[in-house]
Amino acid sequence: TAVGLSVSDDRATVMANVQKLVTAYNTMQGQLHALGRYDAASRKGGPLLGDFLLDSAEFQLTRGMTDQVAGVGSSAASLAAVGITTSADGSMSVDSTRLQAALTADSGSVARLFSGSNGIATRLGKVLDNMLASGGAIAARDANLAASQKDIISQTARLDAQMAAVQRRYLAQFNALDSLMSQLQSTSNYLTQQLANTAKIGNGNTG
């Protein structure tokens, strides 16, 4: 029995996957901006404001998405060429009409743009692997921060011990001064009384 088989591109799925990639990228960019932004109204900055590691990560990921891909026809050599553009705030948007047209014109080039050996997915994978590796930049920064935190805890403990010793010394000095003042006050009272008695004796003899 003869069976007819028709093979065609599943463009709807391709476009949906492209939109998922763009959505995930925009979410990531939002997180990176939140970590590094400065709010002039509240005068507060993100926890990684001005941090080189954050700036480097954002730069590498942005280039991984937006740089042209070698070995792909000029009609699909970059995201911009297939209708995926970047706005001023760094977020991306998909022009479905242009993407559909690019798939219709040369679906193979579009596929290589995303999943080829030099494609966007490959580039992003390498960047992320380097960042997330056990000996990568993030792990190294995490280790440095952990060591700094440990050192701060140690310094705080030493400072607490020093302050406790200072407190004990000052308390001992205060108690000693309080005792001395009590003794001096007693001596003063005694002398005042003796002088008063001497004055009475003197007055009695004169009379």
Side-chain angles (χ1 to χ4, degrees):
T1 302
V3 177
L5 181 63
S6 176
V7 178
S8 62
D9 294 330
D10 186 357
R11 293 176 185 171
T13 299
V14 171
M15 294 183 69
N17 287 337
V18 170
Q19 183 60 63
K20 288 180 181 178
L21 172 64
V22 169
T23 299
Y25 177 81
N26 289 340
T27 300
M28 177 202 67
Q29 283 287 5
Q31 292 293 331
L32 294 179
H33 289 166
L35 291 171
R37 75 160 53 98
Y38 176 75
D39 187 343
S42 63
R43 295 184 179 181
K44 292 183 179 179
L48 294 178
L49 176 64
D51 190 283
F52 173 78
L53 179 61
L54 178 67
D55 294 340
S56 176
E58 186 171 9
F59 175 76
Q60 291 182 65
L61 291 168
T62 298
R63 288 200 60 179
M65 282 288 283
T66 59
D67 280 0
Q68 289 192 350
V69 175
V72 178
S74 59
S75 62
S78 66
L79 291 182
V82 298
I84 302 171
T85 55
T86 305
S87 63
D89 64 359
S91 63
M92 290 186 168
S93 59
V94 180
D95 184 330
S96 298
T97 301
R98 289 183 60 191
L99 178 58
Q100 178 72 44
L103 288 168
T104 301
D106 189 352
S107 60
S109 291
V110 176
R112 289 191 296 274
L113 169 66
F114 287 100
S115 58
S117 59
N118 297 318
I120 291 171
T122 303
R123 289 193 311 211
L124 290 177
K126 290 179 180 178
V127 170
L128 292 172
D129 285 345
N130 289 335
M131 289 183 182
L132 300 175
S134 59
I138 293 178
R141 173 62 62 83
D142 186 61
N144 288 337
L145 290 175
S148 296
Q149 184 182 33
K150 184 177 180 181
D151 185 54
I152 290 172
I153 292 174
S154 178
Q155 291 180 21
T156 301
R158 290 196 298 270
L159 180 60
D160 287 343
Q162 292 173 0
M163 294 304 297
V166 171
Q167 182 182 31
R168 289 192 297 270
R169 185 171 70 252
Y170 285 168
L171 182 60
Q173 291 175 353
F174 174 81
N175 290 334
L177 287 173
D178 188 58
S179 176
L180 177 61
M181 287 181 64
S182 297
Q183 294 174 11
L184 291 175
Q185 186 63 50
S186 296
T187 302
S188 175
N189 292 339
Y190 173 77
L191 291 174
T192 300
Q193 183 179 6
Q194 292 303 311
L195 288 172
N197 292 335
T198 300
K200 291 180 181 179
I201 295 173
N203 291 335
N205 290 336
T206 301

